[in-house]
Structure formats: structure tokens, C-alpha cells
Amino acid sequence: MDANDGPSSLAEIFPDVPSSSTQSTYLSHLTALSLPQLLQEPATLASEASFLTSELTNLCHSQYATFLSLHDASTALSTSFASFSSSLSALVGAVPNLEAQCNSFAQETRTLRSERRKVTTVLEHHEKLLDILEIPQLIDTCVKNGYYQEALDLAAHTKSLVKEFPTISIVRSVEAEVATSINQMHSQLLHLLQEPAKLPALFKAVNFLRRMGVLDEEELALVFLTSRGAYMQGLFEVIERERTMDAARFLKKWIDLWREGLYDVVTQFTSIFLERPQPASHSPTQHHPSNLRPFLVAFTHTFIQKLLNILSIIVPTISDSPALSSLLTQLSYCSASFGRIGLDFRGLFPPIFEQTALENFRRGVDTACGSLRGSLDAAAGKGRAVKLPTTWLVTADALNDPPQVPLSLPTGSSTYIPPSQITSFPPLAQLMNALLATLNSLRLLAPTSILPSLLIALDSSLNSVSSSLLNYGKASLNRSRRSFDMNETTTANEKEKVVILAVIRSWFHIVKFVRRGLVDGVYGQKLADVEELVLKEDLDMEAEKNGEVRGLDWTGWEMWLTSIGAGSLYDGAVGTGWDLATSAANGHDVMNRGVNKIPREEAEADVP
């Protein structure tokens, strides 16, 4: 038999021996022994087995307790395995029910778990959410403290959040609160335009309003002008209570406020709107400064009209010429300052002051002449006894020899000094003082355009006094004649006549003196030239209502004076030499225009 046909390994030789790694190792060890060693191997194994048996016996004796414990443990373990097996079987039987219960619990707690996840997410992003929720409060704080830039930045951040999270309700809620705060900021900025603020603050407020985009440029310009106008109106209302105390002081303060306020508004509007550079992206006509300039023009015209209205109401109530002159000077400087910015309105208010000066002069002359006219009318009787000239027209010192006032006007250094002889006639002296006070008051505010009207007003008042004096002269001399018929002394009658003629002589002088004082003294013009203007002057409604006429009316004087033997007095006073600066013929023609020549018989018939 070939060697290759035999078993190839020990496993094939001992197929019934279980194969393990130890056995395989030992079998490999045996195959590596020599024959003598192999023969000796059983004895070696027997010796080792005896040794191991001896060692095991010794171990049992020395460690018997351990073996007993091990035995008990093995027995308990066997029992435990049996119990464990039964419990495991019960557990396996309960698992399907447990799984069903777990699935049911999972279904029931799904909503809770969803809410918990949300709460967990909120907790994880607590700081970020808190920052978002505090945005409205931060904007309110910024607005209250004037930090408008920060408020707009927060509003822009809110808009970006809304774009990023458009469906989140909390973001929408924050957006609504932010919109409310921004509206409050808008109202506060608009209110700021009505407060006393300088250009930097107003410029800043307008820029913030521009950035908010609520108003376009034209609307913003209108709001600005309206707000500043309301601010100025508030200033006017503050001083309104002073109107009844001192009209001139009130008007002066009103003009100062008007000047400062309007000048500030014009410069502020120009700097904020008209001088603002336009972005290149804008169209040539949209919001261009030229489109906004008419707003400023309308605003300035409105307040100029307001100034004219207040002047037309207050100025006529001021009779103090120094106050009127001061107001006119103030307005002139005011207009000159506005002229530098193209708003010169000096030509608008002179008519108001001219009319006021005319009315004040007319009032002063009427008051002065009215007092003497009333005294003359009362002395003329009118149902009562005539009051004799010697009892009230002349002082006691001049009663026997009344001074004769010269008919010609003084020249040189005493041109505008009334003669001292007039003091002997108290009623005439009082009239002269009142008329001179009126003329001196006129000198402070004497518009040249109203000189013809002034002369007409003066002549009208003088005519009324002249008529009353003529009536009184006739009545007093008529009484003297009736008294003479009752055997009164001729000396007493002559004294009354001398006094009345001296008074008439002084009156003629006063008329000439006052007229020259008005034309030449106040205005430095020639009386003849002014009288020519008077003839061309149209009487205003007030003059027509007062019955004013052009020139002096000497109707009746010539005939009456001639009838009592004093025709030379009329010729010397009225007929010639009326105005030293005018030719006698011209003066006579002007002064006697409209005089009704009365036949001497009718004139004498007036004197019984």
C-alpha cells in the first residue's frame, strides 16, 4: 500500500476524539516527540495525573468551605434559572400589550410633546426673542429722549424681520407696535416744528420726516410753513393782552416778534428746502426747489398782509406822534433788512401812517377850534343874553387899552414865534397853544403827500371858528347898540367895539400865522404852491362828511367890517399881504375864491 493512501493527520487517525485547540496542540506535541520520548509519555502523564490528584485532594481539604459555597451557589443558580425562565416567558407574553400601551401613550402625548418642543425652542432662543419683543419699548424710549436716528434704525430692523419671517405672529405683533411708536415719533417731529427751535434742530427734524417717507417734499414744505406760522401766531397771542394797556408798546413788540419770526422762517425754509441738493436720480421737475418757492412767497405775503391788517387797526388808535414816528422808523429798518432777501415792503405801510397823521392832525385842530367855537356860540346868546367881549375875551390888564397885534407876519429869527400880545386874549391864546402843539406834533411825522389835505382840514376848522367869531361880533355889537338905546354910556359901547376889533385883528393874525406854520414851518414849502395843489385835491370821504372846503371862507367879513367902520382892518388882513411869500394878487385870488360879494346895503341891514 502506498504511503500516500494512509491518513494525513491525527484527526483522521482518531476521528472519534473531539477536536479542540488544546487537543490539537497536544496531538501536535506528540507527533513531534521521538519514539523514546513517546514511549515515556504515558509514565509522564500518569505521574502528572497523580500529582494533580494529590493537589486537588489537598485543595479540597484546605478549601472545603469554598466548594460548599460553590455548591450552594450552583444549586441556587439552577433554581434562579428556572424562575428567570418563567419570568422571561411572562415578560415575553406581556411585551405586545406593553407595546400597544406605549403606542397609545405616544399618540396621546403627541400634542404635549409638540408644545414641549416649542417651549424648548423658545427657551433655547430666549435672548433673541427678548431682543425682538423689546424693540417697541426701545423705540418709545428713543423717541421720548430724542434719539430719532436709533428709532429709525430699530424700525428698519423690524421691517427686515417681517420680510424674513412674514408668517410669524409675534413678528407681526411687534411690527404693529413699532408702527404705533413710529407714528408717535412722526407726531412729535411735527410738534417740534411748532416749538421755538433754531435752524439746526429744525433741519434735523425735517430730515427725519423725509426719511420716514410719510410726506412728500411739497407736503413737507407746507407742513413746515404751517407749523412755523402757528408758532408765530402763538407768540402774537401771548402779547395780545397788552393791546388794551399801551397800543404803541404792544404794536412795537408785535412788530419785533413778526420781524424776527418771519425772517427766521424765510432763512430756515431757504436753507432746508430751496438750497437742498437734488439727487441725480430725481426727475428735473419732481420736488425741484423752484416748485417749492411759491409756498414761501404765499407765506410771506400772508404775514405781510397780517402786518398791514394789524397796522390798519392799531395805528389809527395812536395819537402820540413820537410813538408813530418810532413805529415808522422801526418798520423802515425792518423793511430794509427784509430787502436784503428780496422782500422790501416799504411802499405798503406809508398810506396807513399818512391817514393816521391826517386824522390826528384833523382831530387836534378840530378839538382846539371846537373849544373856541363852542365858547363863541355860547357867548353869542342863542336865546340868552349876549356875553360882552370885555367880560371874557380880554384880560383885566388890557381891558382899557387892548394890544393891537400886527397884521403882517414876523420875519427873521421870530418868524415862527407868535406875538406876545395874543396872551392878552386868553381864548385866542389857548387856541394858539393848542394849534402850535398840533403842529409840533405833526413835525415828528409829516408825510408830504397829505399836505394839501392837512391845509384843507386846517382851513375848514379855521372857517368854522371864523364864522362863529363873525356871528359873535355881530351879536355883541348889536347888544351894545340896544344898550345904547337904553341910555348906556357911549364910552362903554366903544370899549366893547375896541375889544372885539382887537380880538378880530388877533384872529386874522393867528389864521395867517398858523397856515404859514403848517406849510412853511413844518414842510418848508411855499403857501402859494400848496394852495394850487389844494384846488386840484379831491376831498376824501371823511373830509366830505365833515363838510370841509378848499381855502378860507371870508364871506360876510368885508361887508360887516366896512359897515362898522373897520374896512381897513379887512383890507390890511385879507385883501393884501396875506402871504409874505406870495404875490398880493395871487394871494387875494386864492383866499377870496368863492366869496359871495354882498351889497353894502344888505351888510348894513345886518347891523341895526
Side-chain angles (χ1 to χ4, degrees):
M1 183 175 62
D2 189 3
N4 292 332
D5 295 336
S8 58
S9 64
L10 292 177
E12 294 178 355
I13 298 174
F14 305 104
D16 297 331
V17 178
S19 176
S20 64
S21 59
T22 304
Q23 293 175 351
S24 298
T25 301
Y26 183 70
L27 290 177
S28 298
H29 172 70
L30 290 178
T31 56
L33 294 177
S34 61
L35 183 58
Q37 291 177 338
L38 186 58
L39 296 175
Q40 188 63 31
E41 187 63 21
T44 303
L45 292 174
S47 175
E48 289 181 0
S50 176
F51 176 74
L52 290 175
T53 301
S54 175
E55 288 292 327
L56 180 60
T57 302
N58 292 331
L59 180 62
C60 289
H61 284 288
S62 61
Q63 299 295 332
Y64 70 93
T66 302
F67 285 101
L68 292 176
S69 176
L70 180 61
H71 178 269
D72 294 337
S74 298
T75 304
L77 183 61
S78 298
T79 305
S80 297
F81 275 131
S83 176
F84 178 75
S85 177
S86 61
S87 299
L88 184 60
S89 298
L91 178 62
V92 171
V95 165
N97 187 29
L98 177 62
E99 183 179 4
Q101 294 294 329
C102 289
N103 292 334
S104 175
F105 178 78
Q107 292 294 332
E108 293 176 358
T109 59
R110 178 178 298 175
T111 304
L112 182 61
R113 287 185 287 112
S114 176
E115 294 296 329
R116 185 176 183 278
R117 283 195 301 269
K118 292 180 181 179
V119 171
T120 303
T121 304
V122 170
L123 186 60
E124 291 176 355
H125 299 84
H126 169 72
E127 294 183 357
K128 296 180 180 179
L129 291 173
L130 187 61
D131 292 341
I132 295 175
L133 294 174
E134 287 180 348
I135 289 178
Q137 183 179 357
L138 289 174
I139 292 180
D140 286 338
T141 303
C142 292
V143 170
K144 291 179 181 178
N145 292 279
Y147 299 114
Y148 303 117
Q149 178 63 48
E150 290 75 6
L152 291 178
D153 291 342
L154 290 172
H157 177 63
T158 303
K159 291 181 179 179
S160 64
L161 290 177
V162 172
K163 291 180 179 179
E164 186 175 358
F165 308 103
T167 59
I168 298 179
S169 60
I170 190 172
V171 176
R172 289 294 184 182
S173 176
V174 170
E175 180 190 20
E177 295 181 12
V178 168
T180 302
S181 299
I182 292 299
N183 289 336
Q184 181 182 356
M185 172 181 168
H186 184 262
S187 301
Q188 185 168 327
L189 288 172
L190 292 178
H191 183 70
L192 180 62
L193 298 180
Q194 302 182 17
E195 296 179 351
K198 297 299 182 181
L199 177 59
L202 295 175
F203 194 91
K204 184 179 179 181
V206 171
N207 280 337
F208 284 127
L209 289 172
R210 283 194 184 110
R211 290 185 55 187
M212 295 179 71
V214 178
L215 304 172
D216 60 27
E217 194 70 9
E218 292 184 355
E219 293 173 339
L220 189 56
L222 286 174
V223 168
F224 178 84
L225 292 176
T226 303
S227 300
R228 299 314 294 171
Y231 165 68
M232 291 179 62
Q233 188 62 37
L235 296 179
F236 297 151
E237 292 175 357
V238 170
I239 64 171
E240 187 65 26
R241 61 179 181 273
E242 300 181 12
R243 176 184 293 197
T244 56
M245 302 177 184
D246 188 346
R249 181 180 179 184
F250 162 77
L251 189 56
K252 184 176 182 181
K253 186 177 294 186
W254 197 97
I255 293 173
D256 285 337
L257 293 176
W258 181 91
R259 174 182 56 82
E260 295 174 0
L262 186 60
Y263 191 86
D264 287 343
V265 171
V266 171
T267 55
Q268 290 163 359
F269 187 88
T270 302
S271 301
I272 295 174
F273 294 97
L274 302 184
E275 296 179 354
R276 177 175 176 241
Q278 295 297 310
S281 59
H282 282 199
S283 62
T285 58
Q286 184 180 10
H287 300 160
H288 196 270
S290 60
N291 298 337
L292 305 179
R293 190 174 296 276
F295 298 153
L296 182 60
V297 174
F299 179 84
T300 53
H301 284 183
T302 299
F303 271 82
I304 289 177
Q305 188 60 45
K306 189 184 293 291
L307 172 63
L308 295 178
N309 292 340
I310 196 76
L311 289 176
S312 63
I313 295 173
I314 302 298
V315 170
T317 64
I318 301 175
S319 58
D320 186 17
S321 293
L324 288 174
S325 178
S326 176
L327 287 173
L328 185 59
T329 302
Q330 181 184 11
L331 287 170
S332 299
Y333 283 118
C334 175
S335 178
S337 64
F338 276 98
R340 294 195 295 268
I341 58 175
L343 197 63
D344 192 347
F345 52 89
R346 277 176 289 186
L348 298 178
F349 52 78
I352 300 175
F353 284 86
E354 291 173 358
Q355 186 62 29
T356 302
L358 175 60
E359 293 301 324
N360 288 342
F361 178 82
R362 183 178 287 157
R363 189 183 306 112
V365 171
D366 288 346
T367 302
C369 293
S371 177
L372 179 58
R373 183 174 62 249
S375 299
L376 290 171
D377 292 340
K382 291 186 179 181
R384 295 175 298 176
V386 178
K387 193 175 182 180
L388 294 176
T390 54
T391 60
W392 69 286
L393 283 178
V394 66
T395 60
D397 297 339
L399 182 62
N400 295 324
D401 186 17
Q404 301 296 312
V405 178
L407 294 177
S408 61
L409 295 177
T411 58
S413 59
S414 60
T415 299
Y416 303 110
I417 300 177
S420 60
Q421 295 92 327
I422 295 180
T423 58
S424 299
F425 309 100
L428 297 183
Q430 293 176 4
L431 174 65
M432 176 64 82
N433 288 335
L435 292 176
L436 290 179
T438 302
L439 291 176
N440 288 328
S441 177
L442 178 64
R443 290 176 62 238
L444 299 175
L445 182 62
T448 56
S449 61
I450 64 171
L451 177 55
S453 299
L454 293 175
L455 186 57
I456 290 174
L458 177 62
D459 289 346
S460 179
S461 296
L462 294 176
N463 284 335
S464 65
V465 176
S466 181
S467 177
S468 296
L469 181 59
L470 177 60
N471 294 332
Y472 174 73
K474 291 179 180 181
S476 63
L477 293 186
N478 286 343
R479 181 181 184 282
S480 297
R481 290 196 175 190
R482 287 194 295 271
S483 299
F484 177 75
D485 293 338
M486 297 172 63
N487 298 321
E488 285 192 2
T489 61
T490 304
T491 305
N493 296 334
E494 288 297 327
K495 185 182 296 185
E496 301 295 340
K497 181 178 178 180
V498 169
V499 171
I500 194 64
L501 290 179
V503 170
I504 293 173
R505 186 184 187 91
S506 300
W507 168 247
F508 287 161
H509 184 92
I510 290 174
V511 171
K512 294 194 291 183
F513 183 87
V514 172
R515 295 180 89 240
R516 188 179 70 172
L518 171 64
V519 177
D520 189 14
V522 176
Y523 285 92
Q525 299 187 24
K526 294 182 179 181
L527 184 59
D529 296 338
V530 177
E531 287 172 342
E532 290 180 3
L533 295 176
V534 168
L535 295 178
K536 302 176 183 178
E537 181 76 8
D538 292 331
L539 295 180
D540 57 14
M541 295 181 61
E542 186 67 23
E544 292 180 355
K545 184 175 68 174
N546 296 335
E548 295 180 356
V549 296
R550 298 179 178 90
L552 293 173
D553 183 10
W554 297 107
T555 304
W557 277 100
E558 181 180 8
M559 296 302 137
W560 180 71
L561 290 175
T562 303
S563 67
I564 62 175
S568 59
L569 176 61
Y570 178 85
D571 293 336
V574 179
T576 59
W578 184 255
D579 180 24
L580 297 178
T582 311
S583 65
N586 188 20
H588 180 76
D589 180 67
V590 173
M591 293 302 104
N592 290 283
R593 188 179 302 275
V595 174
N596 185 15
K597 296 294 184 179
I598 304 176
R600 183 176 300 274
E601 295 80 14
E602 296 180 14
E604 291 178 351
D606 293 337
V607 183

